[in-house]
Amino acid sequence: MSIESDRAVTDRVYRKVAFRLVPLLFVCYVIAYLDRVNVSFARLQMDDELWFSDVVYGIGAGVFFVGYIVFEVPSNIVLHKVGARRWIARIMISWGVVSGMMALANSPFTFYLLRFLLGVAEAGFIPGILLYLTYWFPAHRRGRITALFLTAIPVATIFGGPLSGWLMQAFDDVGGLRGWQWMFIVEAVPAVLLGLVVLRMLDDRVADATWLTDDERAVVAREVAADDDAKPAAHASVRDTMRSPVIWLLGGIYFAVALGIYTISFWLPTILSRSGVESTVAVGFLSAVPYLVAVVAMVAVAANGDRTGERRWHTAVPCALGGVGLIAVGMTQSSTVLALIALTVAAAAISSAQAAFWSLPAALLSGVGAAAGIALVNSIGNIAGAVSTSLVGVISDATGSTATSLYVFGVVLVLGGALVLTLKKEQVNGAGTRK
């Protein structure tokens, strides 16, 4: 068989694999992310009813990440040992139940408690999926696949924003419940149902995929094995991975990226509302605009990274541009139009940086080392979720504006882009090119 025909066969097999796995994982993440950040829309009504200040909201949004971070590394190690099918299904069903219980929040304490439990329930989902993709896709195919999966974040906002706004307005006072309570209940149901679908449809490993022929399974196994053997830390233990300076460097970079992601996710509706948009439905639709652009940008950047094999600049430049975008948001948030333009630049750039970033740890790790390393990097990054949401709330209450925190976070993102360039290009570049 010629090289060209062999490549065509491999491409066909991977189209089949992608069609089977990516849509299901994508929809799961859309629901997961919506259940994580729909509190940003709920607060538009919760503040009036429960008298939550920016500080209370910021702490509640951030305490989610405490539970998430504490249980993330153990969760990913368990997934690696027991398999993705059962563990991802468990995560989805448990987070769906807790997310629906958010309708019971009636004080700062219950708000904090339920947000913490939601973080515990969801811990390990994202690093688990990122690890799972390394079981199926070699590096030169994984950039685009990861980007497609991560477009669930903007898509969750594109559809979730208008949906949340509509639910809160249409169901307000129905059955004695406020609109924000109905929003939590209705948006929790898909997570539980999808958990049951995952339990039935997801395969733990390539060897379990009965929907592939023996020859097709052999193609995938060969590609992934060759990719793993080429990694500098292919056989690293959990202990070695946790001690690796490069893993902590990657964690620091992702901290900066996540700082931008969560600042926009949790505060975008508030920024638009305070710019003069009064209707919750209008806020929902306007919130979708930055993420429509983000979907296109992140897929384009990731595809170009796969084509060229260049990883550092594909991460560093969007980081810096996202930082500039956040600073621009702080300067323009009194104008709806200008703030929306700045939010669009920031969301597109930061989303692209996130998608490109995950090619970096995936190029260095495999096996149980990847399970621990990817989870650790994600955990360090998600500290930004607790820091950003809480700090924005405190600063906003003290100054009456979110501008100062946006300036600070913008500078951190620019510094994060600079940190990317300290990685040795021979470690991370070239992994994405076709052989």
Side-chain angles (χ1 to χ4, degrees), residues 4-267:
E4 289 76 13
S5 59
D6 185 56
R7 179 175 293 173
V9 169
T10 303
D11 287 346
R12 178 183 57 78
V13 171
Y14 268 102
R15 282 194 295 271
K16 186 175 181 179
V17 172
F19 184 77
R20 170 78 179 200
L21 299 180
V22 176
L24 175 60
L25 298 178
F26 171 83
V27 173
C28 288
Y29 194 20
V30 167
I31 300 302
Y33 201 78
L34 179 59
D35 285 346
R36 180 188 296 192
V37 304
N38 57 8
V39 68
S40 66
F41 291 94
R43 78 159 304 198
L44 299 178
Q45 285 184 350
M46 293 175 76
D47 283 2
D48 294 335
E49 181 174 340
L50 304 179
W51 298 95
F52 284 177
S53 67
D54 280 354
V55 173
V56 171
Y57 168 71
I59 294 174
V63 77
F64 164 92
F65 296 97
V66 176
Y68 192 92
I69 291 164
V70 169
F71 290 93
E72 190 158 35
V73 173
S75 176
N76 227 33
I77 293 174
V78 171
L79 181 146
H80 184 68
K81 291 182 177 180
V82 307
R85 182 178 64 87
R86 285 176 292 176
W87 198 246
I88 295 298
R90 191 284 304 164
I91 290 174
M92 295 186 64
I93 293 170
S94 61
W95 101 51
V97 171
V98 177
S99 183
M101 291 174 63
M102 284 293 300
L104 301 176
N106 59 9
S107 67
F109 174 76
T110 55
F111 181 51
Y112 298 157
L113 176 62
L114 289 169
R115 287 290 297 176
F116 173 79
L117 292 177
L118 185 63
V120 173
E122 194 183 328
F125 178 75
I126 304 308
I129 297 299
L130 293 171
L131 173 66
Y132 183 66
L133 292 176
T134 68
Y135 299 163
W136 295 83
F137 296 93
H140 69 270
R141 297 178 185 274
R142 199 163 50 240
R144 278 165 288 186
I145 294 297
T146 301
L148 288 171
F149 169 65
L150 291 176
T151 56
I153 295 176
V155 168
T157 305
I158 291 168
F159 293 101
L163 174 63
S164 297
W166 177 78
L167 286 171
M168 289 169 59
Q169 183 168 298
F171 285 80
D172 198 25
D173 291 328
V174 172
L177 299 177
R178 292 298 309 276
W180 64 268
Q181 293 175 302
W182 278 114
M183 183 200 70
F184 280 128
I185 294 169
V186 172
E187 292 181 356
V189 173
V192 177
L193 297 180
L194 279 170
L196 299 176
V197 173
V198 166
L199 198 59
R200 179 176 178 82
M201 292 191 61
L202 209 63
D203 296 292
D204 289 328
R205 299 278 182 169
V206 176
D208 302 324
T210 56
W211 42 274
L212 292 175
T213 67
D214 290 342
D215 289 342
E216 289 170 338
R217 286 194 294 271
V219 168
V220 177
R222 182 181 68 243
E223 290 263 309
V224 173
D227 188 55
D228 285 346
D229 289 341
K231 294 175 181 178
H235 306 291
S237 66
V238 172
R239 178 177 295 181
D240 290 341
T241 299
M242 302 289 273
R243 291 177 175 178
S244 171
V246 73
I247 294 300
W248 289 92
L249 173 61
L250 290 169
I253 295 167
Y254 194 55
F255 176 91
V257 174
L259 199 67
I261 289 287
Y262 291 122
T263 298
I264 294 177
S265 296
F266 284 105
W267 290 93

